[in-house]
């Protein structure tokens, strides 16, 4: 099972919106609405930001939203803030297996 | 508040077996609907799911690691454990444990523990 494909890096200015894509196949992202997204600051453990494609856990800002179209899931962060600068990973159920994306480094300019 | 904490040796020799334990506090490992998982992250690289276990002992393993991985659970100690055999330098990584909703998300995560494979 190959890793999901994410852009290596994205950037945006404070207040802007950015979108991170996560491309899989019909065996994972395309078959299940079970994509989750994680934020990881340097030296810290990942934090769940989105689950089941578009649901936000309690405590996560509504500036974070998720969606899916076909084999590609997306994470959108609106109203960028300096604290959003981090690595972001997607993850999908793939039939008795879970596969992560390679990660995207978000830089807030 | 549920918390997870990894523990185990930080240095393992090549060809030996890596052994880690995750201790769960603030909740029961026997809770229904939750699996308990291991995920690793080589230095400077991305996340890789290793495997997950239910309190009953039912397991899922990453197909690429399945031949070398054993995950077990000790409900009396509220712990679950990872064994990875025949390790090489490629197994050097930060190893995380996390609560895993079956089919779905991982949360919360432990702080992670760095395991280096070196002679």
């Amino acid at each position: 099972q190959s890793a999901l494909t994410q852009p290596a890096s994205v950037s945006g200015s404070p207040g802007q919106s950015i979108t991170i894509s996560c491309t899989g196949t019909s065996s994972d992202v395309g078959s299940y609405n079970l994509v989750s997204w994680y934020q990881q600051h340097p030296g810290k453990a990942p934090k769940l930001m989105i689950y089941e494609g578009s649901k936000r856990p309690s405590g996560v800002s509504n500036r974070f939203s998720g969606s899916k179209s076909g084999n590609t899931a997306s994470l959108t962060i609106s109203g960028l803030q300096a604290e959003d600068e981090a690595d972001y990973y997607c993850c999908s159920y793939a039939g008795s297996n879970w596969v992560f994306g390679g990660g995207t480094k978000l830089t807030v300019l | 508040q549920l918390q997870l904490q990894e523990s185990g040796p930080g240095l393992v020799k090549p060809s030996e077996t890596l052994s880690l334990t995750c201790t769960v506090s603030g909740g029961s490992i026997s809770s229904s609907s939750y699996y308990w998982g291991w995920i690793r992250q080589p230095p400077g690289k991305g996340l890789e799911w290793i495997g997950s276990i239910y309190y009953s002992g039912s397991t899922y393993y990453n197909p690429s690691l399945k031949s070398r991985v054993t995950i077990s659970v000790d409900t009396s100690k509220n712990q679950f454990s990872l064994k990875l055999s025949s390790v090489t330098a490629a197994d050097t990584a930060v190893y995380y444990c996390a609560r895993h909703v079956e089919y779905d998300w991982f949360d919360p995560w432990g702080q992670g523990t760095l395991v280096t494979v070196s002679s």
Side-chain angles (χ1 to χ4, degrees):
Chain A
Q1 189 77 36
S2 300
L4 307 176
T5 301
Q6 298 181 233
S9 63
V10 299
S11 62
S13 299
Q16 289 185 331
S17 295
I18 63 95
T19 296
I20 300 171
S21 61
C22 169
T23 301
T25 68
S26 58
S27 298
D28 39 62
V29 175
S31 285
Y32 310 98
N33 200 26
L34 292 169
V35 174
S36 50
W37 288 89
Y38 303 85
Q39 176 191 65
Q40 186 180 36
H41 287 109
K44 300 295 187 182
K47 174 188 175 184
L48 176 69
M49 304 302 284
I50 295 288
Y51 67 99
E52 292 175 12
S54 61
K55 298 179 181 179
R56 274 190 312 276
S58 173
V60 172
S61 171
N62 59 10
R63 298 186 298 104
F64 291 82
S65 61
S67 63
K68 192 188 87 166
S69 177
N71 294 338
T72 298
S74 297
L75 173 71
T76 297
I77 309 173
S78 60
L80 269 179
Q81 299 179 359
E83 67 209 49
D84 300 332
E85 185 163 294
D87 293 328
Y88 291 84
Y89 294 91
C90 60
C91 179
S92 176
Y93 178 64
S96 298
N97 186 20
W98 283 263
V99 59
F100 283 89
T104 298
K105 180 176 181 57
L106 169 61
T107 300
V108 180
L109 302 170
Chain B
Q1 179 185 356
L2 190 74
Q3 292 185 315
L4 294 86
Q5 178 69 57
E6 305 89 352
S7 60
L11 181 65
V12 180
K13 290 181 169 55
S15 80
E16 296 190 343
T17 296
L18 177 160
S19 296
L20 295 174
T21 295
C22 182
T23 300
V24 179
S25 59
S28 173
I29 203 169
S30 301
S31 297
S32 60
S33 300
Y34 295 127
Y35 273 63
W36 305 90
W38 289 98
I39 304 102
R40 70 180 182 179
Q41 184 173 36
K45 297 187 178 180
L47 301 166
E48 180 182 35
W49 171 73
I50 300 170
S52 299
I53 190 166
Y54 195 55
Y55 75 90
S56 64
S58 174
T59 54
Y60 292 110
Y61 293 137
N62 186 322
S64 67
L65 298 170
K66 187 174 183 176
S67 63
R68 298 194 292 130
V69 173
T70 301
I71 297 176
S72 59
V73 63
D74 186 336
T75 56
S76 67
K77 294 182 179 179
N78 231 29
Q79 295 176 334
F80 62 107
S81 298
L82 168 70
K83 290 187 185 299
L84 180 65
S85 64
S86 304
V87 297
T88 69
D91 295 310
T92 293
V94 174
Y95 285 76
Y96 295 100
C97 59
R99 184 178 61 176
H100 183 194
V101 171
E102 191 179 16
Y103 309 123
D104 213 333
W105 43 264
F106 299 88
D107 183 73
W109 298 54
Q111 66 184 29
T113 187
L114 174 63
V115 179
T116 301
V117 178
S118 175
S119 56

